[in-house]
Amino acid sequence: MLRPPTGGAGHGTAPTGDRLVSIGMVLNRLRDEFPEVTISKIRFLESEGLVEPRRTPSGYRKFGPEDIERLTQVLRMQRDHYLPLKVIREHLDAVARGDRLPLPAQGSEGAQRDLLASTWDAEPELPTAPTIGRAELLAATDAGESELDEWEAYGLIAPMADGGYDSETVTVAKIVAELGRFGLEPRHLRAVKAAADREAGLVEQVVAPLRRHRNPQTRAHAEAATKELAALSVRLHAALVQTALGVRLT
């Protein structure tokens, strides 16, 4: 569901005579500093209430200088401070009211956690240790040796080089175990794994140019962009599944 925009200066129908430009022209102006930005990204920021362009009678977006400046500030705060959109929106709205809010330090661990939390529903806390052993994984999932062997045989989980399992693998194993209690076996989950691999490949296509970019800040932004895209992909997948089930249940 789209958020009702709270930021930006544009409201209502675009009047004639204003210095308004199309979303394509906005993209061209932003790309010198933000080569990774896309029209979809600008539309997403609008849906999250970060900017509110005017609309022509036929429904086309029109952006004024203040909208472009606001978008520039949003993208800089994402790139330089790894801030979640909620924090950015609150900060810019406070500035518009005449208030001043301090920004977290650039690249702070807390800010990066908030970035992920802003686009991903809260999950149970993962183990703090880098890896756990096989016996610990079996205990955490209440699974047997044969079950763990089957999960690995179908490629649902895999040990690391040292034979341990990282926190993401533990999460996957717990979910697979829960699904198993509903009668879903690893062979049933092959399609889910294949879909996840395809989604990961799509994210890699998007962030690969960022990692190769000559600007160090853009390269540093690649990891934050990867997390945000992954989170959005998870949200989309969940929404599509819920929508499909809703259609079938009606």
Side-chain angles (χ1 to χ4, degrees):
M1 179 181 295
L2 299 184
R3 295 176 181 267
T6 59
H11 296 280
T13 303
T16 58
D18 281 12
R19 293 180 296 131
L20 304 178
V21 298
S22 68
I23 193 170
M25 294 183 68
V26 173
L27 181 66
N28 290 336
R29 295 186 186 185
L30 293 173
R31 270 191 167 163
D32 285 343
E33 183 175 353
F34 310 101
E36 73 279 3
V37 73
T38 63
I39 285 180
S40 295
K41 173 74 170 182
I42 295 173
R43 288 172 177 162
F44 173 71
L45 293 176
E46 178 190 355
S47 74
E48 292 293 309
L50 274 301
V51 67
E52 188 178 358
R54 297 176 176 90
R55 296 279 184 158
T56 66
S58 55
Y60 290 104
R61 295 172 176 84
K62 290 294 181 179
F63 296 79
E66 67 283 355
D67 298 316
I68 299 174
E69 175 59 26
R70 188 175 171 97
L71 283 170
T72 301
Q73 294 178 37
V74 170
L75 294 171
R76 282 176 183 161
M77 282 190 273
Q78 277 196 307
R79 180 194 65 195
D80 300 339
H81 298 276
Y82 302 98
L83 293 176
L85 296 180
K86 178 181 177 182
V87 172
I88 294 174
R89 184 172 59 250
E90 291 173 350
H91 174 79
L92 292 180
D93 290 346
V95 170
R97 294 192 302 267
D99 301 331
R100 295 290 174 181
L101 294 179
L103 289 173
Q106 179 176 353
S108 69
E109 185 179 350
Q112 294 188 41
R113 284 198 303 267
D114 287 344
L115 172 66
L116 185 57
S118 70
T119 50
W120 208 331
D121 292 335
E123 292 287 341
E125 218 173 290
L126 298 176
T128 55
T131 62
I132 65 174
R134 186 177 180 88
E136 293 171 294
L137 180 61
L138 291 173
T141 58
D142 196 24
E145 289 279 357
S146 60
E147 290 177 288
L148 183 52
D149 288 340
E150 193 173 11
W151 298 345
E152 292 180 345
Y154 279 94
L156 298 174
I157 67 170
M160 302 181 71
D162 61 1
Y165 301 87
D166 61 18
S167 58
E168 287 81 9
T169 302
V170 175
T171 298
V172 172
K174 287 181 177 180
I175 295 172
V176 171
E178 288 292 331
L179 289 171
R181 296 183 180 99
F182 286 89
L184 291 174
E185 301 176 10
R187 61 188 176 87
H188 299 137
L189 303 178
R190 285 181 297 184
V192 178
K193 177 64 165 61
D197 290 341
R198 287 194 296 270
E199 289 175 20
L202 183 61
V203 171
E204 284 296 327
Q205 288 180 25
V206 174
V207 300
L210 304 184
R211 294 193 175 117
R212 296 193 299 265
H213 201 272
R214 61 187 179 185
N215 187 330
Q217 290 182 321
T218 300
R219 293 198 300 270
H221 179 61
E223 184 174 354
T226 300
K227 291 179 180 179
E228 187 170 359
L229 285 168
L232 288 170
S233 178
V234 169
R235 287 174 56 188
L236 175 61
H237 181 83
L240 289 173
V241 171
Q242 290 175 346
T243 300
L245 290 174
V247 169
R248 291 170 186 166
L249 290 173
T250 56

